[in-house]
Structure formats: C-alpha cells, structure tokens
Amino acid sequence: MLCKEIDMKLYIIANRLPVKVAGTNGKFAFSRSEGGLATGLDSLQTSYEKHWIGWPGICANEEKDQQEINEKLQEMNFHPVFLSEKQIENYYEGYSNSTLWPLCHYFFAYTLYKKNFWKSYREVNAVFCEEISRIVEPNDWVWIQDYQLMLLPGMLREKFPNLHIGYFQHIPFPSHELFRILPERVEILNGLLGADFVAFHIHDYMRHFISATKRVLHKNFNLDEVQMNDRVTRVDALPMGINYDLYHNVIADDKVHHTIHS
C-alpha cells in the first residue's frame, strides 16, 4: 500500500544549506545563503515535509558549538553536516572546484588532479551518507544536488536498496571525449546511477551523460532508461526555473520598491 504524500518527507541534499552560520565562542549569527541553487530550491512548493541536509558554512570544531548550531537549525528542518577546514580545502575547493568544475565547463587546461583531492571527495560524500542514514525513513524521498555529491546516490543505494533517490546536476555534463580523461570516471558514473532519476538542465548534457555511461560502463539505454539489476534509472532534461509569483509580486512590496529607488 502506498503511503499518503503528506506522510512522506523530502530531503534536499546539497553542499550548502540555504542558511549560513557565522561567529565564534557560542555567539552565532544565521543568514540566508547566496547562490541560485539555495534560492531556487528554497521556494519549492510541495506538500511533502521538506528538510535540508548540508554544510552550514562554518567549520565548528567544538562539540558544544556544533550542538548549539544543530539545535537552532533543527528548528528550521535543516540538518548540518560539519566539515573540517581541511575537508573544505580538498573536497570543495579541491576536487569539486579544481577538478570537476573546470572539466565540466571545458576548461581542460585548468583542471587540477591530486590524490588527496579525490580521497577527501570520497570521504565527504561518505560523511553526507552517514548523516542521511541517521534520519531518513524507507518511504522518504532524497533529492541530491550537484557535482559536489556525485558519489552519494550510489553510497545511499548500497545502504537503502528501496530508497527513492533523485539527482540533479546544476552545471554542464561534458562530452564523452572529455569526460573519459577523468581518472575516477567509473566511480563517478556508478555513483550517479545509484539514483532512480538523474536530471540535467538541457538535453545536450543528458545526451553526454548517456554517451559516457554507454562507452565507459558499457550500459545499454532504452531511450532515456537504463536497467540497473532489479531497478531502472531514468535520465531527463529539466531546466530549473524560478517561483514566478514570488519574484513578480515582490514589486508590490512598498519596502522593496523604496529600496530599489532610494
């Protein structure tokens, strides 16, 4: 029997929470995170109970600081993943932004490879997996966001074979000719195929992903679907939009109007 939609939870998993934390010694300030991903998904309208899991923007090393931040964020259905400065350096600034990001944007000459980058990338994806595993229920839905967490769908699938898992890529997926030079291409593709549904902004990125999967993993697609043992992974192109009413109606706010023209 299917559960009612209202009884289920949607967990949005992203590198960053839509709220960032700043401060020291127990004195913390909470403010809205910048960026299109957080802005776009924060306005998502759904009858599901919506939760976020991600890094809170601060490297809190003390257990008491982590506890205080966690308690405050839990009130907003936000679940922080605490990372060290070294992890941020190697996983985020390193593998994510110095290896994957240039490659996906066809800046091959700027792509930087280091073993410790990849090691940290796997480590942090595993940390996210542990945090999700701690709170997710079998009938919940997990929606993983972007290139910082490309291994996470596969990690979750190993622990929860029947979990509903989606993945959305917010940057381009490069052509097979370029993607195949990535030393970790097999692990990355297998990680993504752990999802039930993999989506990209445009059809070209979707086509590149299918081509890479066929050539690297020798998987056979039936149009937009590939058989993964006892389940199917579907791929699609879904351009990310905005909450039109939210931004259109804001011009009627006198405070906003005054700020724009002041």
Side-chain angles (χ1 to χ4, degrees), residues 199-210:
F200 303 89
H201 277 298
I202 64 175
H203 186 268
D204 281 352
Y205 305 160
M206 167 188 167
R207 179 169 54 83
H208 291 162
F209 172 74
I210 291 175

Side-chain angles (χ1 to χ4, degrees), residues 150-164:
M150 297 175 90
L151 299 178
L152 185 54
M155 291 179 173
L156 281 174
R157 181 64 61 195
E158 289 185 7
K159 300 190 72 170
F160 302 97
N162 299 317
L163 187 65
H164 307 291

Side-chain angles (χ1 to χ4, degrees), residues 200-262:
F200 303 89
H201 277 298
I202 64 175
H203 186 268
D204 281 352
Y205 305 160
M206 167 188 167
R207 179 169 54 83
H208 291 162
F209 172 74
I210 291 175
S211 177
T213 302
K214 286 180 176 180
R215 294 168 184 262
V216 174
L217 300 182
H218 308 292
K219 297 287 187 181
N220 294 317
F221 273 78
N222 180 14
L223 297 179
D224 61 349
E225 296 182 346
V226 59
Q227 188 72 36
M228 299 296 297
N229 297 324
D230 58 347
R231 63 180 184 83
V232 170
T233 293
R234 189 160 71 89
V235 184
D236 207 347
L238 300 172
M240 184 176 178
I242 64 170
N243 185 334
Y244 174 81
D245 291 335
L246 176 65
Y247 291 97
H248 178 266
N249 295 337
V250 76
I251 62 174
D253 189 316
D254 291 337
K255 294 180 179 179
V256 174
H257 187 80
H258 174 74
T259 300
I260 293 174
H261 293 89
S262 60

